Amino acid sequence: MKWAFMTANFVAKELNYQNSDDWGKCHQATFEAFHGPQFSSKFEELISMTKDMGFDAIELWIAHLDPLHATPDMIEQALHILKQYEMTVASYTAGFGSPGITVEEATKVFETSKAIGTPVLAQGFHPANGPIVMPLAEKYGIRVGLENHPEKTPQEVIDKVGPFSPWIGAAVDTGWFGTHGYDNVKAFRELKDYLVHVHLKDIKEVGGHESCTLGDGIVDIKGVLSVLKDIKYEGTITIEHEPHHHDPTEDVKESLNRVKAWWEELQ
């Protein structure tokens, strides 16, 4: 199994984990820190830290490289750094969550994604964008996964992506199904025919969305891994933990150690 580090785990890093509860504020601070002449040094720092945690794949947050603002030079620098650290981009958080996407915008997203070598886009998807997104996904050979946030059940996800399968499917976020009190083991079985990608996240309680080290919260992580093995899932699993008030590095390293051990136990 390939494990990826979600670079949005560092959501609040550029604000030094201070006054950082607002996701939009964190996104903007990160975008401004990375997009400019300092991109190469900032991106190398990000990839070096990820490698030191034990990962050889990332899910790239668009605040670290925005597909609509990435210049050819930035992409070239990113590819050089990724190659230097033997790091792949397993997934990219570029999505189509708001209706009204233009062909030009969608094409730019896919062109950037193709350039960085990712096989999956895992973020928002609005069905109104399907007629534009689906043919581009097929053309570029990149699958799109709807990451469940407001969707409380797998059926809500299927209703949105089903008409555009197999190029558009589900990028299951275990934390959000946990927030809504939906059994993740059941969810994966119901979504197995639509599964594009996995965001493995644990949270502290139903109704909230405070993430934590995998295994310390309410999500049945071991049960999810067991289902993934049963259905012969061959994609990447992203480890996601995005605290706003502390550096998640040690938590994520522990999460990686745990899931590797649990996965081996299931052999």
Side-chain angles (χ1 to χ4, degrees):
M1 176 55 63
K2 176 167 286 222
W3 312 96
F5 175 80
M6 167 64 83
T7 69
N9 290 338
F10 288 134
V11 59
K13 184 176 186 296
E14 299 304 326
L15 293 177
N16 297 313
Y17 305 98
Q18 302 294 319
N19 301 312
S20 52
D21 286 314
D22 184 272
W23 184 278
K25 182 180 176 183
C26 292
H27 185 286
Q28 187 61 30
T30 307
F31 175 88
E32 291 173 359
F34 274 73
H35 291 72
Q38 70 282 10
F39 173 76
S40 183
S41 62
K42 292 291 292 183
F43 194 78
E44 182 169 5
E45 176 190 31
L46 173 67
I47 300 305
S48 176
M49 292 174 65
T50 302
K51 193 72 174 183
D52 287 345
M53 279 184 263
F55 290 90
D56 58 11
I58 59 169
E59 177 158 348
L60 183 58
W61 183 31
I62 61 168
H64 289 130
L65 184 70
D66 190 306
L68 300 181
H69 294 89
T71 65
D73 281 348
M74 290 172 66
I75 293 172
E76 184 178 344
Q77 291 163 13
L79 289 172
H80 174 75
I81 292 164
L82 290 164
K83 183 177 180 180
Q84 178 184 349
Y85 286 87
E86 298 181 323
M87 187 76 64
T88 59
V89 183
S91 183
Y92 194 22
T93 74
F96 309 95
S98 299
I101 192 81
T102 67
V103 173
E104 291 74 20
E105 289 168 337
T107 300
K108 177 64 172 172
V109 169
F110 279 102
E111 286 179 345
T112 304
S113 303
K114 191 73 173 180
I116 63 173
T118 185
V120 173
L121 301 178
Q123 242 301 323
F125 170 73
H126 194 288
N129 294 323
I132 289 175
V133 172
M134 185 176 70
L136 287 170
E138 185 171 9
K139 174 183 176 180
Y140 286 91
I142 297 172
R143 297 183 75 192
V144 175
L146 166 62
E147 182 182 15
N148 53 292
H149 278 202
E151 295 81 11
K152 295 180 172 62
T153 68
Q155 189 58 51
E156 289 184 47
V157 175
I158 293 169
D159 289 345
K160 293 180 178 181
V161 304
F164 310 104
S165 180
W167 287 102
I168 300 173
V172 177
D173 185 311
T174 59
W176 278 104
F177 275 139
T179 290
H180 296 308
Y182 200 92
D183 180 355
N184 269 284
V185 171
K186 187 169 182 282
F188 274 93
R189 294 204 180 280
E190 293 172 345
L191 287 167
K192 64 182 177 64
D193 294 333
Y194 301 90
L195 192 59
V196 170
H197 191 65
V198 177
H199 289 155
L200 205 59
K201 183 196 297 176
D202 208 346
I203 60 165
K204 293 187 175 180
E205 59 184 358
V206 174
H209 201 71
E210 184 178 355
S211 61
C212 58
T213 303
L214 297 177
D216 286 357
I218 62 163
V219 176
D220 182 3
I221 302 296
K222 291 182 181 180
V224 167
L225 294 176
S226 180
V227 174
L228 291 174
K229 184 146 287 193
D230 286 346
I231 66 174
K232 296 179 172 55
Y233 174 71
E234 295 181 347
T236 299
I237 297 176
T238 293
I239 294 178
E240 188 172 359
H241 172 36
E242 300 156 339
H244 283 254
H245 300 291
H246 71 273
D247 185 331
T249 298
E250 294 305 316
D251 296 347
V252 173
K253 285 167 65 176
E254 178 61 23
S255 291
L256 181 60
N257 289 335
R258 290 179 182 181
V259 293
K260 282 183 173 180
W262 294 334
W263 187 260
E264 289 304 313
E265 288 173 6
L266 292 169
Q267 296 287 358

